[in-house]
Amino acid sequence: MNMDFNVVTSRANARVKQLRAAFAGQARLSGGMVAIEGDHLLEEALRSGMVLKTVFVSERRSVPGIVPRSVEVLRLAQDVFQSVVETQSPQGVAALLVPPVRTLEAVLGAASEAAPLILIACGLQDPGNLGTLVRSAEAFGATGVITTPGTVSAWNQKALRASVGSVFRMPVVSATLDEVAGLRARGVRLLAAVGAEGDAAQGVDFARACALMIGNEGQGLAAEWLEIADGQVTIPCPGPVESLNAGVAGSLLLYEASRQRTRV
């Protein structure tokens, strides 16, 4: 039942501390909860079937009508609300949600669906790039996204905002080098995205089961990832640039894969 009768004025309130920890990415202190902020992400979370734990609203605004009556609602004093959220101009609404548990099986997709199309983020550190790639993965029909050790969390606040809600629906799982290499035994080709010297994307067969490995923004793919790759793919660029931004490169490759699969 909604509980918006009293205004919380203490920054030491247990729920407020939990929300603050969630925004900071402190899983243990947040009880494993994920924090979201703003009307759009709240709407996307509910539309995607996410389980909300608590909704927080500033005393200066009303409770969004889309919030189910079964969800706990806390109204916060304006200064308390602003002390917790991360944006410069908060919209006055935030929430704690239970993150979905995804598996590699979900990333591979159901057997009845088309061949898996997976994006693997290998050591990406820019949350904006990761969020963009999760959004592009959903837009271009990928079956899932894999993040490897050293990659920023898809639940990072900047990654969440960059995904514009796609992270709620797109399966995103963490995997080790060995687990990624194990995809080959399941019929998935591992394709390493490189700046040059790879096969031009237009000439690569993306219609078959495959996984696109996108490397770190500064160093690209580390040697261990290149060693397990079945092939290397590049995006021909007539302009005088060394390489593309990781988010742009991954999105273009996903588009090419989608284009080929739609044509088949």
Side-chain angles (χ1 to χ4, degrees):
M1 179 180 295
N2 288 345
M3 297 169 56
D4 57 338
F5 307 103
N6 300 312
V7 176
V8 175
T9 59
S10 172
R11 300 185 184 190
N13 175 275
R15 279 283 187 266
V16 171
K17 292 170 68 175
Q18 187 178 24
L19 180 63
R20 184 179 293 112
F23 272 121
Q26 299 171 333
R28 183 180 63 83
L29 295 178
S30 69
M33 297 291 107
V34 167
I36 58 173
E37 180 189 352
D39 290 283
H40 181 71
L41 279 181
L42 179 64
E43 292 171 5
E44 287 294 301
L46 287 169
R47 184 168 70 88
S48 305
M50 296 295 100
V51 178
L52 298 186
K53 175 70 174 179
T54 306
V55 171
F56 303 81
V57 293
S58 164
E59 62 182 331
R60 295 183 179 179
R61 64 162 295 170
S62 59
V63 179
I66 61 172
V67 177
R69 294 187 60 82
S70 59
V71 176
E72 176 187 44
V73 174
L74 292 182
R75 188 178 297 281
L76 306 184
Q78 183 66 14
D79 65 310
V80 175
F81 188 90
Q82 289 183 321
S83 74
V84 177
V85 299
E86 294 197 339
T87 57
Q88 294 289 333
S89 302
Q91 297 176 30
V93 62
L96 283 170
L97 62 81
V98 181
V101 178
R102 312 288 196 187
T103 65
L104 273 177
E105 294 301 322
V107 168
L108 287 166
S112 60
E113 295 179 349
L117 172 61
I118 303 167
L119 185 131
I120 305 177
C122 302
L124 264 66
Q125 297 177 344
D126 186 306
N129 277 335
L130 182 61
T132 294
L133 288 171
V134 172
R135 186 181 186 188
S136 294
E138 182 180 35
F140 296 124
T143 51
V145 174
I146 293 175
T147 60
T148 67
T151 297
V152 66
S153 170
W155 297 108
N156 172 284
Q157 290 303 304
K158 291 183 179 179
L160 266 169
R161 291 194 291 272
S163 82
V164 198
S166 288
V167 71
F168 299 138
R169 298 175 293 273
M170 174 59 47
V172 181
V173 304
S174 299
T176 64
L177 176 68
D178 289 341
E179 288 172 325
V180 170
L183 293 175
R184 300 168 67 186
R186 307 185 70 166
V188 178
R189 291 178 305 137
L190 302 180
L191 301 175
V194 295
E197 300 181 355
D199 295 324
Q202 298 91 328
V204 175
D205 182 7
F206 290 108
R208 296 160 50 198
C210 61
L212 300 168
M213 299 191 295
I214 307 297
N216 176 273
E217 291 85 357
Q219 290 75 41
L221 286 166
E224 59 265 29
W225 298 106
L226 293 173
E227 288 174 2
I228 66 171
D230 297 300
Q232 297 186 4
V233 58
T234 190
I235 301 169
C237 297
V241 296
E242 292 184 4
S243 62
L244 295 171
N245 167 279
V248 171
S251 297
L252 287 174
L253 291 172
L254 286 167
Y255 167 75
E256 175 60 22
S258 175
R259 186 187 69 83
Q260 290 186 20
R261 288 169 177 237
T262 302
R263 186 182 60 194
V264 171

